[in-house]
Amino acid sequence: MKLPISILTPIILTLFISTPTQAQAPAPAFLPPSPAPAPAPHYVNLTDLLSVAGPFSIFLNYVVQTKIIDTFQNQANNTDQGLTLFVPKNSAFTSLKQTTFSNLTDDQLKSLLLYHGFPKYYSLAEFKNLSALNPVSTFAGGEYTVNLTYDMGTVRVASKWSNPNITSSVYSTRPVAVYEVNKVLLPMQLFSADPPLAPAPAPAPESKPSDLAPKSSPSGSSPKSIDSANSAHVISTSYMLLWVLLGAIMFML
């Protein structure tokens, strides 16, 4: 017996819908979000920094004239290690004799300037652990080393002939650290003896009033005018006494 088409049609549709699909699309794999790229390090212009801070004009002039500023600048911005600089104030240079640096060759002067830096970034807190590794090599390399001491936050950078301490942090953001020191670092490789200090300026002579200067009188008159007045008063008084005496004699006669 054949079923009517009106009955078969809904049955076929029901079977088709209820039959699971043999080939299913695979579920999409979960992918974690890609990390954001690290921000590029901030470019530090050492020339501009040392120009507005300080006063560091003497040290800046030396590193610019010898082109050591280019070496420092490249280390600061084009390497992963970064840079640490110890910059003496102008007063640290002027306290030494002018011949201290004029007797150095060009290469020796460059070594002296490189001696004031580490080819790596160090924060102030890192000097505590770094001091346990003394002596510490400087940018000048070789035997140009310094000894660091860290005492309750005070950091000293000792060379052969000077033992300056860090007086302030001028700039300290990775990868560049610039610290102010109160003395010039003087390595034994360049100086056989402690360079002499510049003579202290002579004190200005004190101005003292002369003992022979005439003293002004309270009334504003000069001593000579006072003496003249006193003499005239004595003379006039004598004349009066004389006339009184003559009058008495005439009365008695």
Side-chain angles (χ1 to χ4, degrees):
M1 184 180 70
K2 295 182 179 180
L3 295 175
I5 297 177
S6 60
I7 297 176
L8 290 174
T9 299
I11 295 174
I12 294 172
L13 290 175
T14 301
L15 293 173
F16 179 80
I17 294 172
S18 62
T19 303
T21 305
Q22 298 296 326
Q24 294 182 351
F30 177 75
L31 298 177
S34 58
H42 178 66
Y43 181 86
V44 179
N45 189 311
L46 294 175
T47 302
D48 292 345
L49 178 62
L50 296 178
S51 297
V52 298
F56 301 133
S57 59
I58 297 179
F59 181 83
L60 179 58
N61 288 337
Y62 276 126
V63 294
V64 169
Q65 292 173 4
T66 57
K67 301 188 183 302
I68 292 299
I69 190 66
D70 298 334
T71 303
F72 288 152
Q73 194 70 68
N74 180 71
Q75 180 70 25
N77 296 297
N78 299 326
T79 66
D80 296 333
Q81 292 79 18
L83 174 71
T84 298
L85 277 183
F86 304 106
V87 184
K89 298 187 297 184
N90 286 350
S91 58
F93 286 95
T94 56
S95 65
L96 299 170
K97 276 198 170 182
Q98 294 181 353
T99 56
T100 300
F101 303 108
S102 60
N103 294 331
L104 298 177
T105 65
D106 291 342
D107 289 339
Q108 288 175 332
L109 181 58
K110 290 179 180 179
S111 296
L112 175 69
L113 299 173
L114 292 172
Y115 190 59
H116 286 75
F118 291 155
K120 188 176 180 180
Y121 169 84
Y122 292 104
S123 65
L124 280 175
E126 291 176 309
F127 282 111
K128 182 176 183 180
N129 294 331
L130 187 61
S131 62
L133 305 177
N134 285 329
V136 181
S137 297
T138 66
F139 216 127
E143 298 180 353
Y144 287 84
T145 59
V146 294
N147 289 311
L148 300 171
T149 58
Y150 184 95
D151 183 17
M152 302 294 291
T154 300
V155 180
R156 289 190 176 274
V157 189
S159 60
K160 173 63 177 178
W161 300 116
S162 61
N163 186 27
N165 64 301
I166 294 177
T167 53
S168 69
S169 176
V170 179
Y171 184 93
S172 183
T173 301
R174 194 176 298 274
V176 176
V178 177
Y179 301 112
E180 176 187 288
V181 291
N182 58 351
K183 293 181 182 179
V184 180
L185 291 171
L186 302 172
M188 60 180 296
Q189 290 80 4
L190 300 179
F191 302 98
S192 58
D194 190 2
L197 298 176
E206 297 182 1
S207 57
K208 294 182 179 180
S210 173
D211 295 335
L212 301 178
K215 296 181 181 179
S216 61
S217 62
S219 62
S221 302
S222 63
K224 184 179 293 186
S225 62
I226 294 176
D227 292 342
S228 300
N230 291 336
S231 299
H233 179 71
V234 171
I235 294 173
S236 61
T237 303
S238 300
Y239 275 112
M240 290 179 63
L241 292 175
L242 180 60
W243 282 108
V244 171
L245 180 61
L246 291 174
I249 293 174
M250 294 292 295
F251 180 78
M252 291 176 64
L253 294 175

